[in-house]
């Protein structure tokens, strides 16, 4: 009798967290819980103005384990007048995410659209200074609370061979994206920093232009942690979708599906499932966000979401849930290890190898106490050597923080990298707090 009571209590507890038992099989009954089984999130972009809608919030809080603000953290919302910041809408989204125990993605620090009028009137070095100050102030306000930032949004053009989009930001100098990422890292060392764009779902000229930028950033130590594929899809999915995710992952960055929606029709459920399976197949594809909750909440008029206007689950919802519960790769090695309570620091290494050489990205994570400095030792295979490093000083195969990344909050992270000849290390790096 006692055993039966314990089993019933356990089943009730699991039902509350979105886990159900069917026979001998374990299966999650919500999108967030099923994604979490493989170490991922399944999130939704939300609007602060809709949080008073009971159907909207019921679906949000029961189904998703990540939130992204639709507009509340963009430049026109957060700095309507130069130097005067308003975080009310963004804070409401943040607090909703915290209350749910969800990850919060920040969107977006710099974008050529939705700039306040005062920024649109600026140019050159004056605009550059204002833009970098904006990144610094907003990222500092949310320091330690944002899982990932879309630092720069939609800076590449369609149909010009993979080149940059002409904009007032681009005309401040081609290094403006790099400057934004460096400012974001300095302001919030713990947040993942992403570049986000659309029409980049398969291997094409635009996605290749972004790929080349990320590869350049990684080689020079520009802090970039992830690439966002918006995935606003029609009635088909590019045959190279998974291959495209994988090639970005092979550069040593995470991939996040950031704004998924799919035109309704006979193939909608299949496309949603295909996107889910592609993400699950790549260990560094860390999560999926749908852009809205119900069809009536979407910016599109073709009913592209998982719930209809009344909040009912559509066939596409079931296809996603089934795909998530079928499982996939689990992110390994974990780029964000949970520190042991009170531990000084830990370090994880992600290599990228080519014939005769390699680069390595190392993430340093503070334990239960903030770091004021750190040293990481790497054990190199025989015949291998370090040729250069970024975001750290190097002596042999020992790396020490530079001035701007030595202070890491408890549980927070920072990154550095190095290039070498020979084969990359396989042993876990040793981290020592200073």
């Amino acid at each position: 009798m006692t055993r039966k009571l314990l089993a019933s209590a356990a089943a009730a507890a699991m039902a509350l967290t979105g886990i159900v038992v069917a026979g001998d099989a374990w299966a999650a009954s919500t999108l967030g819980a099923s994604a979490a089984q493989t170490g991922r999130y399944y999130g939704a972009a939300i609007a602060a103005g809709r949080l008073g809608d009971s159907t909207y919030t019921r679906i949000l809080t029961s189904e998703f384990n990540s939130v992204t603000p639709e507009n509340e953290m963009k430049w026109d919302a957060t700095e309507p007048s130069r130097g005067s910041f308003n975080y009310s809408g963004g804070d409401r989204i943040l607090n909703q995410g915290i209350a749910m125990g969800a990850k919060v993605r920040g969107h977006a620090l710099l974008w050529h659209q939705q700039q306040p009028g005062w920024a649109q009137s600026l140019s050159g070095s004056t605009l550059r200074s204002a833009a970098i100050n904006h990144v610094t102030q907003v990222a500092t306000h949310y320091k330690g609370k944002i899982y990932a930032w879309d630092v720069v949004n939609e800076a590449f053009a369609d149909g010009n061979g993979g080149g940059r989009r002409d904009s007032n930001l681009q005309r401040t100098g081609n290094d403006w994206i790099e400057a934004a990422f460096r400012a974001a890292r300095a302001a919030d060392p713990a947040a993942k920093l992403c570049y986000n764009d659309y029409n980049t779902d398969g291997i094409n000229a635009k996605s290749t232009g972004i790929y080349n930028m990320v590869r350049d950033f990684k080689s020079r130590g520009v802090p970039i942690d992830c690439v966002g594929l918006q995935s606003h899809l029609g009635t088909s999915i590019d045959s190279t979708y998974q291959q495209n995710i994988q090639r970005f992952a092979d550069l040593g960055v995470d991939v996040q599906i950031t704004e998924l929606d799919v035109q309704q029709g006979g193939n909608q459920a299949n496309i949603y499932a295909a996107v889910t399976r592609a993400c699950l197949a790549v260990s560094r594809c860390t999560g999926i966000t749908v852009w809205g909750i119900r069809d009536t909440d979407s910016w599109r008029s073709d009913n592209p979401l998982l719930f209809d206007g009344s909040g009912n689950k559509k066939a596409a919802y079931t296809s996603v849930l089934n795909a998530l519960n079928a499982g996939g790769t689990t992110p390994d090695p974990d780029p964000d290890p949970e520190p042991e309570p009170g531990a000084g620091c830990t370090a994880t290494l992600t290599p990228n190898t080519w014939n005769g050489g390699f680069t390595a990205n190392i993430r340093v994570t503070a334990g239960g106490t903030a770091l004021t400095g750190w040293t990481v030792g790497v054990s190199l295979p025989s015949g291998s050597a370090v040729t250069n490093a970024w975001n750290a000083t190097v002596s042999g195969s020992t790396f020490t923080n530079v001035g701007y990344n030595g202070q890491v909050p408890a549980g927070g992270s920072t990154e550095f990298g190095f290039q070498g000849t020979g084969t990359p290390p396989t042993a876990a790096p040793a981290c020592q707090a200073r």
Side-chain angles (χ1 to χ4, degrees), residues 258-310:
T258 55
E259 303 184 19
L260 178 63
D261 43 29
V262 180
Q263 179 179 332
Q264 183 160 295
N267 210 28
Q268 185 183 54
N270 291 333
I271 294 173
Y272 264 109
V275 169
T276 305
R277 289 192 295 267
C279 183
L280 291 172
V282 180
S283 62
R284 292 203 71 151
C285 183
T286 55
I288 298 172
T289 298
V290 289
W291 201 256
I293 293 178
R294 303 165 299 193
D295 286 335
T296 47
D297 304 316
S298 176
W299 64 285
R300 297 171 58 166
S301 60
D302 51 7
N303 299 320
L305 295 172
L306 301 176
F307 298 83
D308 67 21
S310 298

Side-chain angles (χ1 to χ4, degrees), residues 13-360:
M14 287 182 288
L16 288 172
T17 59
I19 306 294
V20 298
V21 182
D24 293 329
W26 295 78
S29 60
T30 67
L31 300 172
S34 57
Q37 292 176 136
T38 59
R40 292 171 174 82
Y41 64 84
Y42 205 97
I46 62 173
R50 293 193 179 97
L51 292 176
D53 182 321
S54 60
T55 301
Y56 185 90
T57 54
R58 173 184 58 78
I59 298 171
L60 170 65
T61 56
S62 62
E63 289 288 346
F64 298 101
N65 62 346
S66 172
V67 297
T68 300
E70 289 186 1
N71 295 293
E72 289 82 355
M73 293 186 187
K74 290 174 181 172
W75 197 348
D76 60 348
T78 52
E79 194 181 3
S81 300
R82 187 173 183 180
S84 178
F85 291 84
N86 182 350
Y87 299 110
S88 59
D91 286 354
R92 188 174 180 191
I93 299 293
L94 175 72
N95 292 333
Q96 176 67 44
I98 292 172
M100 294 166 51
K103 294 180 183 295
V104 180
R105 297 191 76 262
H107 175 83
L109 290 172
L110 291 181
W111 185 27
H112 67 281
Q113 294 187 18
Q114 288 188 241
Q115 294 179 14
W118 65 264
Q120 296 174 38
S121 69
L122 302 181
S123 61
S125 60
T126 305
L127 176 60
R128 171 68 70 92
S129 176
I132 296 306
N133 180 66
H134 177 78
V135 170
T136 299
Q137 296 300 323
V138 176
T140 298
H141 176 79
Y142 290 109
K143 181 179 180 180
K145 300 174 183 177
I146 297 293
Y147 163 69
W149 269 111
D150 291 330
V151 178
V152 171
N153 194 49
E154 300 177 7
F156 280 72
D158 294 300
N160 73 340
R164 298 280 187 88
R165 175 192 300 277
D166 178 51
S167 71
N168 61 344
L169 292 167
Q170 180 63 28
R171 291 190 294 274
T172 70
N174 201 53
D175 64 336
W176 75 275
I177 299 178
E178 175 179 341
F181 273 83
R182 291 192 184 278
R185 172 67 84 231
D188 188 352
K192 287 183 175 292
L193 307 181
C194 307
Y195 175 80
N196 189 54
D197 217 323
Y198 68 97
N199 285 348
T200 56
D201 307 300
I203 296 176
N204 56 38
K206 186 175 183 180
S207 64
T208 297
I210 295 165
Y211 174 89
N212 290 335
M213 179 189 72
V214 174
R215 182 173 60 183
D216 172 61
F217 279 12
K218 296 296 287 186
S219 72
R220 294 190 295 109
V222 180
I224 185 168
D225 306 306
C226 42
V227 171
L229 307 182
Q230 292 186 16
S231 296
H232 297 296
L233 303 179
T235 57
S236 63
I237 184 172
D238 193 288
S239 62
T240 60
Y241 191 87
Q242 182 178 323
Q243 183 182 352
N244 190 40
I245 295 173
Q246 185 66 63
R247 70 167 177 163
F248 279 107
D250 289 343
L251 291 177
V253 294
D254 292 343
V255 178
Q256 299 173 5
I257 313 303
T258 55
E259 303 184 19
L260 178 63
D261 43 29
V262 180
Q263 179 179 332
Q264 183 160 295
N267 210 28
Q268 185 183 54
N270 291 333
I271 294 173
Y272 264 109
V275 169
T276 305
R277 289 192 295 267
C279 183
L280 291 172
V282 180
S283 62
R284 292 203 71 151
C285 183
T286 55
I288 298 172
T289 298
V290 289
W291 201 256
I293 293 178
R294 303 165 299 193
D295 286 335
T296 47
D297 304 316
S298 176
W299 64 285
R300 297 171 58 166
S301 60
D302 51 7
N303 299 320
L305 295 172
L306 301 176
F307 298 83
D308 67 21
S310 298
N312 300 308
K313 299 172 182 176
K314 297 163 57 176
Y317 170 94
T318 304
S319 72
V320 170
L321 187 64
N322 289 342
L324 289 169
N325 278 325
T329 63
T330 299
D332 183 27
D334 183 358
D336 296 300
E338 290 294 329
E340 294 295 327
C345 59
T346 57
T348 56
L349 182 148
T350 304
N352 182 36
T353 307
W354 64 85
N355 187 26
F358 64 93
T359 59

